[in-house]
Amino acid sequence: EAQVTQNPRYLITVTGKKLTVTCSQNMNHEYMSWYRQDPGLGLRQIYYSMNVEVTDKGDVPEGYKVSRKEKRNFPLILESPSPNQTSLYFCASSFLALAGGAYEQYFGPGTRLTVT
Amino acid sequence: AQKITQTQPGMFVQEKEAVTLDCTYDTSDQSYGLFWYKQPSSGEMIFLIYQGSYDEQNATEGRYSLNFQKARKSANLVISASQLGDSAMYFCAMREGYNFNKFYFGSGTKLNVKP
């Protein structure tokens, strides 16, 4: 089954304790991206990757790190989480767009993070 | 400036009636893609429909259609014959940039379908 998986699904942690949210896709997608969803703000792009070892910042990258060492995996790292990073996080993947077109993203189930 | 604007935080529609969810976008790119996603209360993001900037005809997918007005930069979602299962949050989104690497979402519209 084609899917994007995220782990953990729920996480409660304390300020400053490093954490990693994993993301994996089995569709051989080149493009992967992380988003955070906050009430009234929709989803905002944190980081994206267009292929292995190619990553770049989205709109809200502060406080986050990513790496893309394998095509299927794109972990999100919070080295020193703060309460303002409490949010619902989504990982997504897609094929890279061809000229004149764009592919929809497939989303993971989400990770609800609470930082106290 | 907001890249995607959804001006209807919440809407009600009677079951079996049609409803239009508004979306306007802002871009200077010639090539871009417009998407609608549905997020039920369970939280997953479900892709509904896509419109490319060069597509001359409005996209349709079953009961969903996208009313694309390029000059007005609007991409409204029309749901025909609403069903109770359509009650959800709906997000308009745009993909632009080199290789369409940037993805922007609106703030969403909460649709409630009344029996």
Side-chain angles (χ1 to χ4, degrees):
Chain A
E1 180 191 354
Q3 60 182 349
V4 179
T5 57
Q6 292 180 230
N7 283 293
R9 294 288 312 279
Y10 302 91
L11 180 60
I12 301 173
T13 189
V14 296
T15 299
K17 186 176 181 181
K18 182 179 178 179
L19 66 92
T20 299
V21 184
T22 65
C23 173
S24 184
Q25 50 93 6
N26 63 0
M27 295 168 278
N28 203 32
H29 287 161
E30 299 91 358
Y31 184 92
M32 298 185 75
S33 186
W34 276 102
Y35 301 87
R36 61 177 289 173
Q37 182 179 5
D38 302 291
L41 297 177
L43 283 76
R44 292 178 292 167
Q45 194 173 37
I46 303 171
Y47 270 94
Y48 63 88
S49 168
M50 296 205 292
N51 218 323
V52 175
E53 302 290 4
V54 181
T55 63
D56 208 345
K57 297 176 182 179
D59 280 345
V60 288
E62 296 78 18
Y64 304 95
K65 282 178 58 176
V66 293
S67 68
R68 186 95 179 269
K69 300 194 182 306
E70 302 168 284
K71 195 172 186 179
R72 63 184 295 129
N73 297 324
F74 190 45
L76 179 70
I77 303 157
L78 285 73
E79 296 221 327
S80 184
S82 62
N84 64 13
Q85 293 178 298
T86 292
S87 188
L88 177 60
Y89 291 86
F90 285 101
C91 179
S93 72
S94 76
F95 291 113
L96 274 179
L98 300 174
Y103 291 100
E104 78 271 20
Q105 293 184 91
Y106 293 81
F107 283 80
T111 294
R112 188 163 293 281
L113 172 66
T114 303
V115 184
T116 60
Chain B
Q2 291 280 358
K3 284 284 192 178
I4 298 287
T5 302
Q6 294 180 255
T7 57
Q8 306 153 313
M11 288 189 71
F12 286 91
V13 65
Q14 202 69 37
E15 193 179 8
K16 299 180 186 175
E17 291 186 350
V19 62
T20 298
L21 307 184
D22 294 342
C23 173
T24 58
Y25 60 93
D26 180 30
T27 182
S28 55
D29 287 3
Q30 296 301 308
S31 292
Y32 51 90
L34 297 159
F35 303 83
W36 279 90
Y37 283 86
K38 173 183 179 181
Q39 187 178 44
S41 57
S42 50
E44 71 268 30
M45 295 290 289
I46 302 168
F47 165 71
L48 295 178
I49 196 167
Y50 161 76
Q51 179 85 40
S53 59
Y54 293 115
D55 295 340
E56 295 187 350
Q57 290 195 325
N58 287 341
T60 60
E61 289 285 350
R63 294 186 299 111
Y64 304 108
S65 60
L66 200 153
N67 184 0
F68 181 45
Q69 298 187 45
K70 195 170 183 177
R72 299 178 65 178
K73 293 191 175 178
S74 76
N76 299 338
L77 177 70
V78 180
I79 305 174
S80 63
S82 297
Q83 302 172 356
L84 295 178
D86 294 334
S87 293
M89 195 76 162
Y90 289 82
F91 291 100
C92 179
M94 176 174 66
R95 192 165 190 176
E96 63 167 20
Y98 171 69
N99 269 343
F100 295 87
N101 55 2
K102 296 283 194 177
F103 215 94
Y104 302 96
F105 283 81
S107 54
T109 295
K110 182 75 163 58
L111 178 66
N112 285 291
V113 180
K114 297 188 291 185

